[in-house]
Amino acid sequence: MSFLKADYSKNQEQGFDAVPTGNYEVIINKAQEQATKNGAESLQLDLLIRNDLDKVPDLSKTNAKYHNRHVFMDNWKRKNTNQYDLASFQYILDAVGIPEGTELNSVDDFMKAISGKPVLAYIKNEDNTYNGNTKKVNRVAPWNISKTNYPEVNHKFKNPEKPTDNPFDSKEGISIDESDIPF
């Protein structure tokens, strides 16, 4: 018996174009640090458009139409300092309701504090030109993140395990011997 038989008869156009400009109720699904091949580092937020607000009349053209879509927000380290712009992080902390005066000791603490929290995001749809090609992309500025109008979350995740509960997202608990790595 084969592993897979090619059958393209049920393939459909997925339509992953950028969402239209507007206010969207989202969940900060995941926060993670990453780096480009050239070494530029960023803190990327995966904003997941909530699916539990489809019946709210004011959200019929945003959440109801685009629920379960992911919009990624990159917060790049400054080249001259190799540090994040911590002032922009204040908007995100305020939006998720971290009490004034709370001290976070690391980027990891910041990521844990905001992950899984609902916020309101103003998402822009704009042109991006790269290598002569222009396409529509979504952008979210930190100052366009604010407190949610719907703090009670009943979002149904496709994967029943909440993203912040995934043990593989953590550096703790997984030990890899470097001799096992082939590169």
Side-chain angles (χ1 to χ4, degrees), residues 12 23 29 43 62 76 89 94 120 122 126 135 141 182-183:
Q12 297 175 4
N23 286 308
N29 190 48
L43 176 68
T62 55
W76 294 94
F89 287 0
D94 186 27
L120 177 66
Y122 179 72
E126 58 186 39
K135 69 177 191 169
F183 46 89

Side-chain angles (χ1 to χ4, degrees), residues 7-176:
D7 177 5
Y8 310 124
S9 64
K10 293 182 181 140
N11 287 3
Q12 297 175 4
E13 181 84 21
Q14 292 297 315
F16 290 113
D17 295 333
V19 301
T21 296
N23 286 308
Y24 293 82
E25 290 286 345
V26 300
I27 295 171
I28 301 175
N29 190 48
K30 187 175 185 179
Q32 65 183 8
E33 284 190 292
Q34 57 185 25
T36 66
K37 288 188 254 182
N38 295 330
E41 296 175 279
S42 75
L43 176 68
Q44 185 181 74
L45 303 185
D46 172 6
L47 305 176
L48 177 60
I49 298 174
R50 292 173 58 177
N51 63 19
D52 59 335
L53 303 171
D54 290 359
K55 304 280 189 238
V56 177
D58 292 348
L59 301 177
S60 65
K61 293 183 178 166
T62 55
N63 281 68
K65 194 168 182 180
Y66 297 99
H67 65 238
N68 295 327
R69 292 282 301 272
H70 295 262
V71 174
F72 297 95
M73 175 183 169
D74 287 308
N75 298 278
W76 294 94
K77 281 188 176 179
R78 303 294 182 243
K79 288 181 182 177
N80 58 343
T81 63
N82 198 34
Q83 300 294 315
Y84 293 113
D85 175 12
L86 298 181
S88 67
F89 287 0
Q90 296 297 329
Y91 294 98
I92 301 167
L93 288 173
D94 186 27
V96 301
I98 301 300
E100 182 82 26
T102 300
E103 290 190 29
L104 303 171
N105 297 315
S106 66
V107 173
D108 285 337
D109 287 349
F110 176 75
M111 291 187 300
K112 287 176 188 171
I114 66 171
S115 292
K117 300 291 193 315
V119 295
L120 177 66
Y122 179 72
I123 300 173
K124 286 180 65 177
N125 179 312
E126 58 186 39
D127 290 333
N128 181 45
T129 302
Y130 181 73
N131 286 340
N133 297 318
T134 300
K135 69 177 191 169
K136 293 285 188 186
V137 297
N138 287 129
R139 300 237 194 265
V140 181
W143 48 88
N144 286 335
I145 301 280
S146 56
K147 291 184 181 180
T148 180
N149 294 317
Y150 305 92
E152 186 175 320
V153 177
N154 293 306
H155 180 87
K156 303 287 186 257
F157 289 90
K158 286 183 179 181
N159 180 350
E161 190 176 303
K162 281 193 174 181
T164 54
D165 295 336
N166 187 341
F168 296 104
D169 287 342
S170 167
K171 291 180 182 132
E172 294 110 35
I174 299 174
S175 176
I176 299 175

